[in-house]
Protein backbone atom coordinates (compact mmCIF):
# COMPACT_ATOMS: atom_id res chain seq x y z
CA UNK A 1 0.00 0.00 0.00
CA UNK A 2 0.81 3.65 0.27
CA UNK A 3 2.82 3.34 3.52
CA UNK A 4 5.04 0.67 1.96
CA UNK A 5 5.69 2.86 -1.08
CA UNK A 6 6.55 5.87 1.12
CA UNK A 7 8.89 3.74 3.21
CA UNK A 8 10.48 2.31 0.04
CA UNK A 9 10.93 5.81 -1.40
CA UNK A 10 12.59 6.96 1.84
CA UNK A 11 14.86 3.92 1.89
CA UNK A 12 15.78 4.48 -1.74
CA UNK A 13 16.57 8.16 -1.06
CA UNK A 14 18.70 7.25 1.96
CA UNK A 15 20.63 4.66 -0.03
CA UNK A 16 21.22 7.20 -2.78
CA UNK A 17 22.50 9.69 -0.20
CA UNK A 18 24.72 7.01 1.36
CA UNK A 19 26.16 6.13 -2.04
CA UNK A 20 26.91 9.81 -2.70
CA UNK A 21 28.59 10.18 0.69
CA UNK A 22 30.59 7.01 0.07
CA UNK A 23 31.79 8.28 -3.30
CA UNK A 24 32.83 11.56 -1.70
CA UNK A 25 34.60 9.71 1.13
CA UNK A 26 36.66 7.77 -1.40
CA UNK A 27 38.06 11.08 -2.63
CA UNK A 28 39.53 11.83 0.82
CA UNK A 29 43.15 11.18 1.66
CA UNK A 30 43.70 7.86 3.46
CA UNK A 31 44.29 9.58 6.81
CA UNK A 32 41.06 11.54 6.42
CA UNK A 33 39.15 8.36 5.52
CA UNK A 34 40.57 6.65 8.60
CA UNK A 35 39.41 9.54 10.80
CA UNK A 36 35.95 9.36 9.21
CA UNK A 37 35.78 5.62 9.82
CA UNK A 38 36.73 6.14 13.46
CA UNK A 39 34.03 8.78 13.93
CA UNK A 40 31.39 6.60 12.27
CA UNK A 41 32.44 3.61 14.37
CA UNK A 42 32.19 5.59 17.59
CA UNK A 43 28.78 6.93 16.60
CA UNK A 44 27.43 3.42 17.27
CA UNK A 45 28.91 3.21 20.77
CA UNK A 46 29.95 6.61 22.14
CA UNK A 47 30.52 5.10 25.60
CA UNK A 48 33.18 2.76 24.20
CA UNK A 49 35.27 5.66 22.93
CA UNK A 50 37.08 6.13 26.26
CA UNK A 51 38.10 2.48 26.27
CA UNK A 52 39.57 2.71 22.76
CA UNK A 53 41.40 5.92 23.61
CA UNK A 54 42.84 4.28 26.74
CA UNK A 55 44.10 1.37 24.65
CA UNK A 56 45.74 3.77 22.17
CA UNK A 57 47.37 5.68 25.03
CA UNK A 58 48.76 2.40 26.36
CA UNK A 59 50.07 1.52 22.88
CA UNK A 60 51.65 4.94 22.50
CA UNK A 61 53.43 4.59 25.84
CA UNK A 62 54.72 1.14 24.87
CA UNK A 63 56.07 2.54 21.59
CA UNK A 64 57.76 5.45 23.38
CA UNK A 65 59.38 3.02 25.82
CA UNK A 66 60.57 0.83 22.92
CA UNK A 67 62.01 3.90 21.18
CA UNK A 68 63.75 5.07 24.35
CA UNK A 69 65.33 1.61 24.73
CA UNK A 70 66.52 1.66 21.10
CA UNK A 71 64.24 -1.20 20.12
CA UNK A 72 62.55 0.76 17.34
CA UNK A 73 63.44 3.75 15.19
CA UNK A 74 61.33 6.78 14.44
CA UNK A 75 60.26 8.29 11.12
CA UNK A 76 59.38 11.91 10.59
CA UNK A 77 55.68 12.72 10.52
CA UNK A 78 56.15 13.97 6.96
CA UNK A 79 57.57 10.59 5.85
CA UNK A 80 54.78 8.68 7.58
CA UNK A 81 51.99 10.76 6.03
CA UNK A 82 53.65 10.62 2.64
CA UNK A 83 53.68 6.80 2.81
CA UNK A 84 50.05 6.71 3.92
CA UNK A 85 48.84 9.16 1.29
CA UNK A 86 50.55 7.36 -1.59
CA UNK A 87 48.64 4.12 -1.00
Amino acid sequence: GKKYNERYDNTEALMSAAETIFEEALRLKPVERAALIEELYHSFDPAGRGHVEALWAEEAEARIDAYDKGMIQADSAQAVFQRINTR
Side-chain angles (χ1 to χ4, degrees), residues 5 11-12 15-16 18 20 26 31 34-36 38 45 47-48 50 52 55 58 61-63 72-73 77 87:
N5 287 337
T11 301
E12 192 173 306
M15 290 307 295
S16 178
T20 299
L26 290 177
V31 172
L36 177 60
E38 182 177 1
D45 183 19
V52 171
L55 290 173
E58 189 177 309
E61 289 297 325
R63 291 181 188 195
I72 61 172
Q73 296 179 351
R87 292 182 181 176

Side-chain angles (χ1 to χ4, degrees), residues 11-58:
T11 301
E12 192 173 306
L14 287 173
M15 290 307 295
S16 178
E19 289 170 3
T20 299
I21 292 167
F22 179 73
E23 290 171 5
E24 289 293 319
L26 290 177
R27 292 187 183 106
L28 297 171
K29 293 179 181 179
V31 172
E32 294 169 330
R33 287 197 315 261
L36 177 60
I37 290 167
E38 182 177 1
E39 290 301 318
L40 288 170
Y41 174 76
H42 289 302
S43 72
F44 289 101
D45 183 19
R49 175 174 237 150
H51 176 68
V52 171
E53 289 176 357
L55 290 173
W56 272 116
E58 189 177 309

